[in-house]
Amino acid sequence: MTRADVRKTYKLYLGGAFPRSESGRSYAVEDAKGRFWAHASRASRKDARDAVVAARKAFDGWSGRTAYNRGQVVYRVAEVLESRRDQFEAELRTAEGITASRARTYVDAAIDRLVWYAGWSDKLAQVVGGANPVSGPYLNHSAPEPTGVVAVLAPAGPLLGLVSVVAPVIATGNTCVVVASQPHPLTAITLGEVMATSDVPAGVVNVLTGPQDEIAPWLASHMDVDAIDLTGVEDPEAARNLEIAAADNLKRVRRPAAEDWLATPGLDRMTDFLETKTVWHPMGL
Amino acid sequence: MTPTDAPADLAAAAPAPLLDATSSDAALRRFLHGLPGVDQVGAEQRAAGLGTRSIKAASKAYAVDLAISMVDLTTLEGSDTRGKVRALSAKAQRPDPTDPTCPATAAVCVYPDMVPHAVDALRGSGVHVASVATAFPSGRAALDVKLADTRDAVEAGADEIDMVIDRGAFLTGRYLDVHDEIVAVKEACALPNGQSAHLKVILETGELQTYDNVRRASWLAMMAGAHFIKTSTGKVQPAATLPVTLVMLEAVRDYRLATGQQVGVKPAGGIRTTKDAVKHLVMVNEVAGPDWLDPDWFRFGASSLLDDLLMQRTKLTTGRYSGPDYVTMD
C-alpha cells in the first residue's frame, strides 16, 4: 500500500502561534515553473491589527532584555537555521528554480547575516552612542534605544531578503510585523517555525502572508506602529502613498532602494529604527 | 399571574404573586428549587451561537456608542486615591476629549470613602455615582456593619449601591437570610427625600458553582427588591461569562413576565474588548429584548473595556487603527 503524503498547511505566524487568517481566506502559491505548490493564508487587515497588538505586547519584554541576551537569541536563530539548511535549500530551489549551489549560497548568506547582526546587538551602542563633549559641568551621553513596533514589507528574496530585513530590526530590541513577499510566502512561514523554536519570544516577529497592497496601508496608517520599512514595495506610487499614510503619527520610514542582498550590509538597517536618548548628568559631588 | 403596572420605584419587596414564596424559609426554598433547571450545554451553546453574529458598519457604530453609555467606569483598588477618582470622573464625562459626539459613561463606581470625591467631580454632569458597599468584595461582616457601610455611601451622595450577597448563606441553603439581608440593605438605601439609591445586587456567580444556583440567586435578589442584578465583584475568577449573563437575562425576562417589574442586569469583570461587549449586547437584544438595550437597564462593570471601545470608535470615525498611546490607560 502506498503512503499518502502529509502535506503542510502554511498558516500565519502571529504572537508565537500559527493561526489561520481571521478571514478564512487563502491563495494558491506557484513554484518557479508555474505549477501549483501549496496554499498560503491570505491575511486581512484584522490579522494585521492582531499582529500589531501581539508585537506591542512583546515589546516591553524584548526591549528590556540586555543587548547581550538579544544577540544570543538572534545567534540561536542562526543555529537552528543551520540545522534545517537542507529544508531551506529545497524550498528555495522549488520557489525560485535555482541550482543547488546557488540555493546553498543563499542559505549560507542568510545564516551568516543572522550571526553578523547577532554580533552587533551589544556593540551598536558603543558605535552610535557615547559621551558627548559639552561646555558645562555635565556628563552628557547618548544611547540608542529601539523605536517600538516596526512594520516590515519584506522584499522578494524568499529567505536572504527576509532575514536581511528582519534581523536588524529585532537585534536592536524592536518587535516587528512582517508582510512576506506575496509570490514567495512559504519560506517566510518556515522561517517562522525556526523563530518559534529558537527562544525568540512570542510576538517579537509576526509574519503575515497575503496581498501587500491590501495589508500595507493599514499598517502604514496604524497609530500604534512606530516605523515602517518599505523595502519590499516595488511600485513607487504605492511607496509614496504609504509614506504619506505613515506621516500621521510621524512614523520612521525606510524608503525602498535597490539592494544587493549578498553584500555585507551597513549599520543603516539598524540605525533607521532607533531613537537616541541623551542624558545630562551633573558631574562630581 | 397577570402583569401589573410597574411602579417607578419598587417600594415593596416581592410583588403580590411572589409574596407567599418569601413568607418562610421552607416556602422560599420550595419556590427557588421549583424553578426549572438550566440546561448547561444548551445555555453554553446558545451563548456561543449568539457570539458569532457579525455586527458591521452602522450597527457596530451604534453598538459601540451604546456600550460606552452603559459603562460603569470602575476603580476598586486598595491603592485608589482622590486624584485617581477625579481623573476617572473626568474620563467618564468626556471619554474622548477630542470628539464631542462621544457619549458619557453611565456611572463611576468606587469604594464608599471615595464617593465624596466622585460626587464633587461629577456634579451636574448626569453621570451617576455608584459605590460598592456591604463589606465588598467578600461580604463577610456583621449585618449592622454592612448597613452602616451602605448608609455611609448613600449619605456621601452615591445614587447607586452595589451590594454583595452572603454567598456562604446562599450555598448552605439559608435563602431567607440572604433575602432579608438584601431587603435590609435596600431600606438603608433610602434617601431623606423619600427616594432611594438604586440597588445592584452582586451574585458573585464565580462562587455559585452551577447555573441553577445563578438562576435561583437571580430570582432571590429580584424578589428582595433589587433594581439590578450584577454578576461579579471582579475580584473572583471566573467573573462575567456569556452563559452566566444569559441565565441572568432569562431570569429578568421571566421575572417581568411574572410580575410586570423590570430589573436591570450588569455583567462585571473580565469584559475587556469591544467584541465581548457587542456579544453581550446581541444577547441582551435576543434574550431579554430591546427594552433592556438602555443604560437604565443594562450596564457593563469595567475599566479597560472603555479604552478598547474608544480605540474602536476612533477606528470607525477616522478609518485607521488607533493605539493605546491615544487613550488614557489607567
Side-chain angles (χ1 to χ4, degrees), chain B residues 230-250:
Chain B
K230 173 174 168 183
T231 58
S232 339
T233 59
K235 306 285 184 194
V236 168
Q237 290 301 326
T241 64
L242 278 171
V244 159
T245 312
L246 175 89
V247 171
M248 289 168 65
L249 286 166
E250 285 175 350

Side-chain angles (χ1 to χ4, degrees), chain B residues 9-278:
Chain B
D9 184 53
L10 314 179
L18 298 173
L19 262 181
D20 288 349
T22 55
S23 59
S24 75
D25 212 355
L28 187 54
R29 175 192 310 267
R30 226 173 9 253
F31 175 79
L32 292 177
H33 285 261
L35 290 169
V38 179
D39 169 3
Q40 183 183 345
V41 174
E44 284 168 3
Q45 193 190 9
R46 172 92 169 125
L50 289 174
T52 61
R53 294 277 176 90
S54 184
I55 306 295
K56 299 287 184 209
S59 314
K60 185 169 179 186
Y62 170 76
V64 167
D65 277 8
L66 183 63
I68 291 174
S69 72
M70 287 174 165
V71 168
D72 278 8
L73 198 57
T74 304
T75 180
L76 296 170
E77 304 294 336
S79 56
D80 284 348
T81 58
R82 176 182 179 168
K84 181 166 183 197
V85 171
R86 293 194 76 86
L88 208 67
S89 303
K91 186 176 178 181
Q93 295 172 59
R94 297 285 300 277
D96 183 354
T98 63
D99 183 356
T101 64
C102 180
T105 67
V108 167
C109 183
V110 292
Y111 272 118
D113 63 328
M114 289 293 157
V115 169
H117 309 314
V119 169
D120 239 16
L122 292 169
R123 188 162 290 125
S125 67
V127 177
H128 295 289
V129 177
S131 169
V132 296
T134 70
F136 180 93
S138 66
R140 295 256 70 86
L143 181 59
D144 49 353
V145 174
K146 295 183 183 179
L147 296 180
D149 197 15
T150 309
R151 276 192 288 266
D152 199 32
V154 174
E155 275 165 25
D159 38 22
E160 299 179 358
I161 297 293
D162 289 26
M163 70 165 288
V164 290
I165 63 166
D166 183 345
R167 281 88 75 192
F170 181 87
L171 290 171
T172 46
R174 290 184 284 122
Y175 298 129
L176 200 60
D177 290 358
V178 180
H179 174 271
D180 292 349
E181 192 173 280
I182 298 172
V183 172
V185 172
K186 191 175 178 192
E187 279 164 13
C189 288
L191 294 164
N193 63 9
Q195 294 199 314
S196 166
H198 268 226
L199 181 65
K200 304 192 202 112
V201 178
I202 303 172
L203 310 180
E204 195 61 298
T205 52
E207 294 182 342
L208 294 185
Q209 317 297 342
T210 66
Y211 293 133
D212 286 350
N213 276 344
V214 173
R215 178 171 281 176
R216 286 176 195 139
S218 301
W219 276 84
L220 181 60
M222 290 187 287
M223 286 153 67
H227 295 105
F228 257 85
I229 50 177
K230 173 174 168 183
T231 58
S232 339
T233 59
K235 306 285 184 194
V236 168
Q237 290 301 326
T241 64
L242 278 171
V244 159
T245 312
L246 175 89
V247 171
M248 289 168 65
L249 286 166
E250 285 175 350
V252 295
R253 176 197 63 195
D254 295 347
Y255 189 78
R256 189 173 74 167
L257 277 175
T259 67
Q261 290 180 1
Q262 190 167 348
V263 176
V265 177
K266 173 177 171 184
I271 305 168
R272 293 200 179 81
T273 63
T274 301
K275 195 174 244 181
D276 287 343
V278 172

